[in-house]
Amino acid sequence: KQVLRRYFEMSKTGFTGSLVSDAKVIASIKHGIISDYDAFFKQHAADNNLDWRFLAAIGWVESQFRPDVVSWAGARGIMQLMPRTARAFGLSIDQIDDPDRNIATAAKSIAHLDAILKRKVPDKVERQKFVLASYNAGIGHILDAIALARKYGKNPQLWNGNVAESLLLKSNPIYYNDSICKSGYFRGRQTVSYVANVNHYYSIYCSKIKK
């Protein structure tokens, strides 16, 4: 429980490699195949009640499906798992680069984030953005942003223009020192971009590939 609590309160920084053009992404989707790891995405998405295309979009933005990627912050593999995240879900560090186990553990953590956020964000489509933000930043910062949105008259159940804007406030000491913020300082711009990027590629996959 202590490891899980630390994971959900601390920020995660993933792969920072450049994204390729939409045209190349679309051209790479042949015969309904997104990557060499589609079987893993499908299996672990089904096990956790997720859309496999959503899971694949995360993998693409995190690592461009490269199992050997290690970020400067220590995130590893296709889904850029932090070692503390792996440990929280029972994955040992010597297995973290294995594509099957990496994707399986990421799917479990994403489903867990979804369950935590379900009461705060009832709409499933909208909640998906909060889940992505939490996967990238750590749920503690997103809960702070929800609290700030509520306090300053924004809608705490909407991401764009509301909680996303509140997350950006957490780089300002006036806001991150507020007693309602439990996780302290955070630069939210990368997370806001991350949410938009994953949803962008997810929409491409949905338009080209049947579920």
Side-chain angles (χ1 to χ4, degrees):
K1 289 184 178 179
Q2 181 67 16
V3 175
L4 278 170
R5 189 177 72 83
R6 287 186 63 240
Y7 160 59
F8 287 120
E9 289 181 354
M10 297 175 69
S11 65
K12 166 193 175 288
T13 303
F15 178 58
T16 56
S18 59
L19 300 179
V20 302
S21 70
D22 289 357
K24 288 184 178 179
V25 172
I26 293 171
S28 70
I29 303 173
K30 298 178 180 179
H31 309 296
I33 298 171
I34 294 175
S35 75
D36 293 337
Y37 306 102
D38 284 5
F40 297 148
F41 286 125
K42 290 177 180 179
Q43 175 187 340
H44 300 306
D47 290 344
N48 293 278
N49 196 30
L50 302 170
D51 185 336
W52 77 274
R53 299 166 300 181
F54 177 63
L55 207 57
I58 296 172
W60 170 250
V61 173
E62 289 285 358
S63 69
Q64 295 181 15
F65 305 132
R66 290 169 52 193
D68 60 338
V69 170
V70 181
S71 81
W72 67 268
R76 302 181 67 94
I78 290 173
M79 304 301 283
Q80 287 293 274
L81 288 175
M82 293 295 284
R84 63 176 175 270
T85 309
R87 289 193 298 270
F89 289 92
L91 182 66
S92 63
I93 189 65
D94 62 325
Q95 297 176 321
I96 197 171
D97 295 329
D98 177 79
D100 187 7
R101 291 182 172 92
N102 188 277
I103 294 169
T105 302
K108 290 176 185 176
S109 71
I110 290 164
H112 194 67
L113 290 168
D114 185 76
I116 293 172
L117 289 162
K118 192 170 185 177
R119 185 180 299 179
K120 292 183 178 296
V121 188
D123 182 79
K124 184 176 181 179
V125 174
E126 193 62 31
R127 188 168 66 251
Q128 182 171 279
K129 300 169 190 173
F130 287 73
V131 169
L132 287 173
S134 298
Y135 186 75
N136 179 258
I139 196 169
H141 292 297
I142 306 311
L143 294 177
D144 282 356
I146 290 172
L148 286 170
R150 184 179 294 109
K151 180 172 181 176
Y152 291 100
K154 293 185 179 293
N155 190 330
Q157 296 182 1
L158 292 179
W159 178 253
N160 293 332
N162 290 274
V163 175
E165 294 300 315
S166 297
L167 184 64
L168 296 176
L169 297 177
K170 276 175 56 69
S171 63
N172 186 323
I174 294 175
Y175 298 100
Y176 70 73
N177 285 324
D178 191 309
S179 61
I180 66 173
C181 287
K182 309 301 182 184
S183 297
Y185 171 85
F186 187 70
R187 290 184 64 186
R189 193 166 300 280
Q190 191 272 342
T191 295
V192 172
S193 296
Y194 174 86
V195 172
N197 284 335
V198 173
N199 275 323
H200 175 69
Y201 290 111
Y202 176 48
S203 69
I204 291 176
Y205 293 159
C206 287
S207 70
K208 300 295 180 180
I209 299 174
K210 293 182 179 180
K211 187 174 182 180

